[in-house]
Amino acid sequence: MKLSTILNVCILVFFTLLFVNDFFPDTALAATLTKKLILIILIVLVIIQIVADKGQYKKLSQKTYVGLTLYTVGLWIVLTLLGGKSQIGLSFTSPLFYIIVVLLGLDLLRVSKQAKRERAEEK
């Protein structure tokens, strides 16, 4: 397995832990891995990822982008349905939720149009 793949999986795992920690702050996990510690680990992982790629910008594929977006929103929904309450105010009753969903939808449309344009240019 490539180093970049391992780093990407680690980043996704710690991002998920950050979400779980936010929705369930009174668990043993939250006591062991504080939000501050998780953020520091995430920052270090991202820096290692950037250095390992030698500064080359790698564009996410459309499938990957859609998958990450759906994963994030799905995680938000699942943690809420499990009875978690976000400490930073992420909830279905918050206008922030609807603003984020609309912005993500618009961004997905933008990415889709851009991918179509790039495929047309390649022909």
Side-chain angles (χ1 to χ4, degrees):
M1 202 185 278
K2 289 175 147 185
L3 177 63
S4 63
T5 304
I6 294 169
L7 287 170
N8 286 337
V9 169
C10 289
I11 289 169
L12 187 64
V13 166
F14 279 99
F15 176 76
T16 302
L17 287 173
L18 187 63
F19 249 72
V20 170
N21 195 327
D22 180 53
F23 276 82
F24 298 101
D26 299 327
T27 61
L29 174 68
T32 307
L33 289 172
T34 63
K35 289 178 190 173
K36 191 175 189 178
L37 179 62
I38 295 172
L39 281 172
I40 290 170
I41 293 170
L42 273 171
I43 290 168
V44 168
L45 287 171
V46 169
I47 290 170
I48 292 170
Q49 177 74 359
I50 290 169
V51 170
D53 287 340
K54 297 178 182 118
Q56 295 176 349
Y57 175 72
K58 291 184 180 177
K59 189 175 174 185
L60 289 177
S61 72
Q62 185 178 0
K63 287 181 184 178
T64 304
Y65 186 80
V66 170
L68 286 173
T69 302
L70 291 176
Y71 177 78
T72 303
V73 173
L75 185 62
W76 186 350
I77 291 168
V78 167
L79 291 175
T80 301
L81 292 176
L82 288 173
K85 183 166 174 27
S86 174
Q87 302 300 302
I88 59 171
L90 300 175
S91 72
F92 297 120
T93 58
S94 168
L96 178 64
F97 174 77
Y98 298 102
I99 291 169
I100 289 173
V101 168
V102 168
L103 290 175
L104 286 174
L106 292 173
D107 199 35
L108 286 173
L109 285 173
R110 179 192 61 82
V111 167
S112 176
K113 287 180 183 178
Q114 184 178 13
K116 285 180 185 176
R117 215 174 317 124
E118 287 176 359
R119 277 181 276 179
E121 289 174 3
E122 289 176 358
K123 291 182 180 180

